[in-house]
Amino acid sequence: MATIKAIFSLIEVILFAVGIMPLNTSINYGGNEYKAPEITSPMYIVENGETDYVIVTEENPDECILTAISELQTHIKKISGAKIKAVTESEVTPEDKAIILGETALENGLVKINRQKIAEDGFKIISDGKHLFISGEDSRGTLYGVYTFLEEYLGVRWFTPELEVVPENKDVVIDAKINRIVKPSFSIRRNSCAGADN
């Protein structure tokens, strides 16, 4: 019986690979429906489809930070319709509402940041009611922080390269008192066994 199931599975894979069998995107992946974290003190990044926030980075962001900016802009626009402008730290003042990515002078001067050591690929997500900081041990950690923020705080889900679930809401609201440091459970974030890349 197991051999017959394996043969049918192999045939399905072959038919899918050559494009004869269509991709089924209505799969029930199980698990619980996304539940947003509790908000005790709301901080609106987007309210009724409008935002006065900017994304702030250091003067010459590298490829990881540029990707983090793009992912944040893309998914916040998909959620709410609002486009958040990206600027460098020389273009903003401490009074501006900002999502600050990576190490910047603004981060050091605005709020009491948790100075706990961040492990490699780790990151911190901190909000103070006016600013949101997502900063990693390095720029790659910052990118992982953005993905975690989108997934755990805004409900974005990626199941496959073709299947993404993005909630729609005219408001993007988080708690004004997030103070979180994430340390990876282990140091390797890759899947390099044969055939796993695709």
Side-chain angles (χ1 to χ4, degrees):
M1 187 64 158
T3 305
I4 293 172
K5 284 184 178 179
I7 291 170
F8 277 113
S9 294
L10 178 60
I11 291 170
E12 283 182 330
V13 168
I14 292 169
L15 292 174
F16 171 74
V18 296
I20 295 172
M21 181 178 276
L23 174 66
N24 180 2
T25 59
S26 62
I27 298 168
N28 179 356
Y29 287 93
N32 298 323
E33 188 175 328
Y34 169 74
K35 186 173 187 249
E38 184 179 338
I39 296 174
T40 56
S41 179
M43 175 176 150
Y44 284 85
I45 295 173
V46 178
E47 190 167 8
N48 199 25
E50 300 289 329
T51 186
D52 48 4
Y53 272 79
V54 292
I55 297 171
V56 181
T57 66
E58 62 186 354
E59 294 303 318
N60 296 299
D62 66 15
E63 187 175 346
C64 279
I65 299 294
L66 292 173
T67 301
I69 294 168
S70 175
E71 293 285 18
L72 204 51
Q73 287 176 319
T74 298
H75 288 90
I76 287 177
K77 183 165 179 144
K78 284 181 179 181
I79 292 168
S80 66
K83 170 81 170 164
I84 297 185
K85 188 170 116 177
V87 298
T88 60
E89 59 187 321
S90 64
E91 300 174 78
V92 295
T93 68
E95 289 74 39
D96 292 326
K97 293 181 177 178
I99 300 171
I100 300 167
L101 299 183
E103 296 293 328
T104 67
L106 284 175
E107 176 194 357
N108 296 323
L110 289 176
V111 296
K112 293 178 182 170
I113 296 294
N114 188 334
R115 296 295 176 194
Q116 184 178 343
K117 173 89 172 109
I118 302 175
E120 184 175 357
D121 285 356
F123 53 86
K124 57 191 169 189
I125 301 175
I126 298 171
S127 60
D128 68 355
K130 190 173 184 182
H131 307 97
L132 170 66
F133 300 91
I134 304 175
S135 182
E137 185 272 337
D138 58 14
S139 61
R140 189 173 65 185
T142 300
L143 177 59
Y144 291 141
V146 166
Y147 284 128
T148 296
F149 174 73
L150 290 169
E151 184 175 34
E152 295 184 16
Y153 293 89
L154 303 187
V156 178
R157 293 289 184 265
W158 298 274
F159 295 107
T160 74
E162 291 79 30
L163 180 55
E164 171 185 84
V165 176
V166 180
E168 293 182 13
N169 196 327
K170 289 293 182 186
D171 296 334
V172 174
V173 58
I174 62 171
D175 195 87
K177 296 178 182 173
I178 300 170
N179 190 349
R180 182 173 176 202
I181 288 189
V182 174
K183 297 178 181 178
S185 300
F186 49 90
S187 61
I188 299 173
R189 286 183 184 253
R190 68 177 175 270
N191 194 357
S192 56
C193 59
D197 290 348
N198 291 337

